[in-house]
Amino acid sequence: MQLYTKILIGLISGIVVGAGSNLLGLDSIVALLTALEPLGTAFIRALTMIVIPLVVASLVVGSSSLGDIRKLGRIGGKTLGYYMVTTALAVTLGLVLSNLIKPGAGVDPATRDSLSAQFQGQAEGNMEIAAQAPPIKDVLLNIIPRNPIESAATFDILPLIFFAVIFGAALSVLPEEKKDPVIKLFGGINEASMVIIGWIMVTAPYAVFALIASITAQFGLDLLRSLMIYGLVVVGGLAIHGFITVGLMVRFAAKLKPIMFFKRISGVPLFAFSTSSSNATLPVTMSTAQNQLGISKEVSSFVLPLGATINMDGTALYQAVAVMFIAQIYGFQMDLSAQLTVVLTATLASIGTAGVPGAGVIMLIAILQTVGLGDRVASGIALILGIDRILDMLRTVVNVAGDLSCAAFVARSEGEQLDPDVVI
Ligand code: ASP
């Protein structure tokens, strides 16, 4: 049986066993499944462990072979442009859906207040984290690392990308006998990282089962019911963006067959969904881009780590719906200019959102503050936290699909020959 089929079985049986035991009130099984969580955490840690060596090594090798700095600038410009445009489209879609469906309009105030009270503590914790987030000016300045080793040690990917690209570009201008051994060294690190990923993958079906079963076993169904419309708007928006917007971009910008594209990348969502982390999924995203689509190492090693860090279409869409939901539930008017502010702040906030579980909700706090919902932040966030994990899983899927479509677009626009079955 293929690995991805096994992982899918792990995922589905995790949902059935976890949600089933919760629904049937089988407390001892719920406790048992909850106790499996460390297995899943070990898997996420193992995947995350390989991200720094993989990103640095593949970026150094990739940018050293890109040749001239102008090509690098061109690829960088296309990548950023693509990421910003698709994120803005996602936010706009979220706003349009929330204006049409008004998910917050029907919730009665008593349900609202009891939900809020239930998650108040967790919401306050998130607010403390958000208060430590630097302003956008510093986020941009921090892209230049003071010490790349520190960036690696603190998992600060953006400055690390910056350094690795510059370093690789510098290598490319050295004479052969100087650059060859260094490139070989990083090439070797890259290959070894890929081997480690293969080893980690062997455990994936069991780890995915543990992750999903332990989450769904703790999932209260009542909560789901009261937040259903809000959740459905987010899920519907994610589906529209993930299939239609990304599909159209794949068809018309990358000029690939959308169905083939989705087929080829179909293993990646399993990981994004179970780990809720673009970063932890990155090793899988990169090998899929190279092995399933035929995208070069140069392009994929630049576009994908950058995407895992700054491109969050799904998160931005979810933030737009969440802001509107909280505003509607508290009777706060969101006029056109407030909604445009959401488009701008959510698009920029995605740059500062780390690709880790729950990061989107923290940046949401900043957006709520910007649009004038500052005094509703704690209760508003508390309101939606109950179903945030499941939405996080789904938005992460859309985030990584967007990254892969960008890699395909950049590769094609640079004249790369991708897999002939996928190309139009
Ligand atoms: N978990 C998301 C990601 O890693 C970020 C978020 O929306 O919280 O892409």
Side-chain angles (χ1 to χ4, degrees), residues 276-278 312 315 353-360 392 395-396 399:
S276 270
S277 167
S278 303
M312 310 262 161
T315 302
T353 309
V356 295
D392 193 3
R395 64 194 190 235
T396 309
N399 290 347

Side-chain angles (χ1 to χ4, degrees), residues 66 69-85 302-303 306 310 406 409-410 413-414:
L66 269 178
I69 275 286
R70 245 171 311 155
K71 182 167 179 197
L72 204 59
R74 200 174 60 225
I75 291 184
K78 282 183 205 168
T79 307
L80 284 180
Y82 186 98
Y83 283 156
M84 292 297 131
V85 169
F302 176 75
V303 175
L306 197 64
I310 71 165
C406 179
F409 157 69
V410 173
S413 70
E414 289 295 314

Side-chain angles (χ1 to χ4, degrees), residues 84 87-88 90-92 95 136 310-313 315-321 323 338-353 363-364 366-368 370-371:
M84 292 297 131
T87 306
V91 186
T92 311
L95 290 175
I136 198 81
I310 71 165
N311 184 48
M312 310 262 161
D313 296 357
T315 302
L317 184 144
Y318 140 84
Q319 286 167 336
V321 179
V323 170
Q339 297 200 26
L340 285 177
T341 310
V342 174
V343 177
L344 194 69
T345 42
T347 306
L348 289 178
S350 64
I351 299 178
T353 309
M363 289 316 274
L364 175 63
I367 302 172
L368 285 170
T370 322
V371 294

Side-chain angles (χ1 to χ4, degrees), residues 117-371:
Q118 210 177 330
F119 289 93
Q120 193 75 25
Q122 213 176 324
E124 277 159 13
N126 275 327
M127 284 180 69
E128 270 167 36
I129 301 177
Q132 293 156 10
I136 198 81
K137 174 183 88 184
D138 291 351
V139 171
L140 295 178
L141 261 182
N142 288 344
I143 292 176
I144 307 171
R146 229 189 313 238
N147 174 357
I149 309 286
E150 186 196 8
S151 308
T154 53
F155 221 98
D156 211 354
I157 302 269
L158 223 44
L160 202 59
I161 292 177
F162 183 86
F163 176 76
V165 168
I166 303 272
F167 189 79
L171 277 179
S172 73
V173 301
L174 292 182
E176 301 279 318
E177 76 276 9
K178 294 237 165 88
K179 70 176 169 191
D180 277 357
V182 185
I183 295 178
K184 276 209 183 99
L185 172 71
F186 281 100
I189 297 177
N190 189 19
E191 300 289 323
S193 306
M194 287 295 188
V195 172
I196 298 178
I197 295 167
W199 290 340
I200 301 171
M201 284 309 157
V202 177
T203 67
Y206 315 100
V208 164
F209 174 84
L211 276 171
I212 298 297
S214 62
I215 290 169
T216 48
Q218 299 165 56
F219 222 70
L221 214 66
D222 284 350
L223 208 66
L224 205 58
R225 220 171 283 132
S226 45
L227 292 175
M228 190 144 92
I229 309 247
Y230 156 72
L232 284 180
V233 174
V234 176
V235 175
L238 291 176
I240 296 176
H241 186 84
F243 288 114
I244 300 184
T245 314
V246 172
L248 288 173
M249 296 301 278
V250 166
R251 169 70 183 76
F252 294 103
K255 304 207 168 50
L256 300 181
K257 295 176 193 148
I259 306 226
M260 277 309 279
F261 171 84
F262 286 122
K263 242 194 198 155
R264 289 294 172 91
I265 68 163
S266 61
V268 181
L270 289 177
F271 288 89
F273 185 79
S274 358
T275 61
S276 270
S277 167
S278 303
N279 281 351
T281 311
L282 189 55
V284 188
T285 321
M286 283 173 66
S287 65
T288 302
Q290 288 162 18
N291 303 331
Q292 299 292 326
L293 297 172
I295 298 174
S296 70
K297 227 177 225 156
E298 292 82 63
V299 167
S300 57
S301 65
F302 176 75
V303 175
L304 294 171
L306 197 64
T309 319
I310 71 165
N311 184 48
M312 310 262 161
D313 296 357
T315 302
L317 184 144
Y318 140 84
Q319 286 167 336
V321 179
V323 170
M324 294 300 287
F325 176 70
I326 293 170
Q328 286 162 359
I329 223 169
Y330 286 109
F332 182 89
Q333 276 304 320
M334 290 286 290
D335 57 15
L336 191 63
S337 83
Q339 297 200 26
L340 285 177
T341 310
V342 174
V343 177
L344 194 69
T345 42
T347 306
L348 289 178
S350 64
I351 299 178
T353 309
V356 295
V361 77
I362 293 176
M363 289 316 274
L364 175 63
I365 296 173
I367 302 172
L368 285 170
Q369 244 135 12
T370 322
V371 294

